[in-house]
Amino acid sequence: MKQRNAGAYILLTVLGIIWILPLLWIILISFREEPGAYTSYFFPKSYTVNNYVKLLQRGQQFDFVRWFFNTLTVAIFSCIGSTAMVLAVSFALSRLKFRMKKPMMNIALILGMFPAFMSMLAVYYILKGMNLLQQPLVSLTLFYIAGAGLSYYIAKGFFDTIPRSVDESAYLDGATKSQIFFKITLPLSKPIIVYTVLTSFMTPWIDYIFPSIICGTDYDNYTVALGMFRMLEREFISTYYTQFAAGAVLVSIPIGLLFIIMQRFYVEGVTGGSVKE
């Protein structure tokens, strides 16, 4: 038994090292003083913070600060809207009975299996018809919120695990469906709320395809994914690769902070129970 546990610990340690190596590597590159995208050694020969200083300077060819706040703005509003959309759709599909419920769920499930970029052209012309292409950040926010409803199945599966007897007890006490949703279901659903918030907040930071279509050559409205990819183009990569690494580290900060903040609610939700007062 001890040998089996020792083997498991060794395996987990190896996997942990493999997982953390890329993170360590990108952090080291962000502090590397030697320019260029490739070096024959792992640890830098000299360290500097100039990569961060140059990256955060305004008026540069690559305005990372503007891109960062563009993405942060889109992430915050799309996170709020997407979370509300997913929870509302999931609760309706889990608790309400109406015609065409199962066909709608099947259609949404099938549509969710297709890559999102397949609908990009149609979405582009819809936004163009609504005269929203002049406001790329608004278009991105609306796109993320509108498409969030298709990811209902995880939250719905969680709502299905909440006993219906809790709802029935609340109905007997005179509660409405909205009161049950806000006062009973949501307090019991902290883990899935945390999951939905994190995934919806991360999407604008990592999405490249749709911003590249919507923003085009509108440099001032780039997101970090689109802007930082420009640093990796052939004519810039040797000069800006270390700044690209610094940007990758900075991008992880808001996501990491959100995870740390939301982790407490996740633990409370897992350890909590449904108690009828």
Side-chain angles (χ1 to χ4, degrees):
M1 189 67 179
K2 292 182 178 180
Q3 292 180 349
R4 184 177 301 177
N5 290 337
Y9 290 139
I10 293 173
L11 177 61
L12 291 175
T13 302
V14 172
L15 293 176
I17 294 174
I18 294 174
W19 178 83
I20 205 172
L21 271 178
L23 303 179
L24 176 62
W25 180 69
I26 201 72
I27 293 173
L28 291 174
I29 291 178
S30 69
F31 289 103
R32 193 181 72 195
E33 188 171 8
E34 308 91 87
Y38 172 77
T39 57
S40 58
Y41 43 86
F42 184 82
F43 292 97
K45 294 181 179 179
S46 54
Y47 296 87
T48 182
V49 295
N50 287 336
N51 296 323
Y52 290 91
V53 174
K54 294 178 180 178
L55 184 70
L56 297 176
Q57 286 178 349
R58 304 305 302 270
Q60 299 291 322
Q61 180 174 5
F62 297 105
D63 196 348
F64 177 81
V65 175
R66 178 183 290 272
W67 301 340
F68 185 90
F69 284 104
N70 287 345
T71 313
L72 183 63
T73 302
V74 174
I76 291 174
F77 285 101
S78 64
C79 176
I80 296 172
S82 298
T83 302
M85 175 74 74
V86 170
L87 295 178
V89 171
S90 302
F91 179 79
L93 294 176
S94 174
R95 287 297 195 261
L96 305 183
K97 295 181 180 180
F98 52 90
R99 289 185 177 181
M100 301 297 292
K101 175 180 175 179
K102 288 187 177 180
M104 286 177 57
M105 292 173 57
N106 293 333
I107 292 173
L109 183 61
I110 293 172
L111 290 176
M113 294 178 180
F114 291 94
F117 66 81
M118 294 181 64
S119 63
M120 293 301 179
L121 190 60
V123 173
Y124 175 84
Y125 281 106
I126 291 173
L127 294 173
K128 184 178 180 180
M130 298 172 65
N131 294 321
L132 288 174
L133 292 181
Q134 291 76 19
Q135 299 175 309
L137 300 183
V138 175
S139 299
L140 288 173
T141 304
L142 291 177
F143 171 74
Y144 295 133
I145 294 175
L150 289 177
S151 58
Y152 72 88
Y153 37 86
I154 297 178
K156 177 188 177 299
F158 185 91
F159 288 150
D160 289 342
T161 64
I162 299 177
R164 292 182 180 270
S165 58
V166 178
D167 296 7
E168 294 170 356
S169 299
Y171 283 133
L172 293 176
D173 291 340
T176 62
K177 287 184 173 64
S178 61
Q179 290 175 329
I180 292 174
F181 176 66
F182 287 107
K183 295 183 179 181
I184 298 177
T185 305
L186 289 185
L188 295 175
S189 306
K190 290 180 181 178
I192 199 61
I193 294 175
V194 172
Y195 169 81
T196 306
V197 168
L198 290 175
T199 52
S200 58
F201 184 81
M202 288 175 59
T203 299
W205 297 95
I206 62 178
D207 186 20
Y208 169 80
I209 298 178
F210 193 68
S212 66
I213 295 175
I214 296 300
C215 297
T217 58
D218 190 356
Y219 183 83
D220 290 337
N221 286 306
Y222 275 10
T223 60
V224 289
L226 181 58
M228 289 176 61
F229 184 79
R230 297 287 184 259
M231 296 181 178
L232 300 180
E233 293 179 349
R234 180 177 299 179
E235 61 268 32
F236 303 122
I237 188 170
S238 61
T239 304
Y240 290 95
Y241 188 73
T242 51
Q243 293 184 37
F244 168 84
V249 174
L250 293 178
V251 164
S252 66
I253 293 176
I255 299 174
L257 289 176
L258 181 64
F259 179 81
I260 293 172
I261 294 171
M262 299 298 291
Q263 187 179 26
R264 176 171 61 88
F265 299 101
Y266 179 82
V267 174
E268 289 178 358
V270 171
T271 57
S274 58
V275 179
K276 178 177 178 293
E277 296 181 358

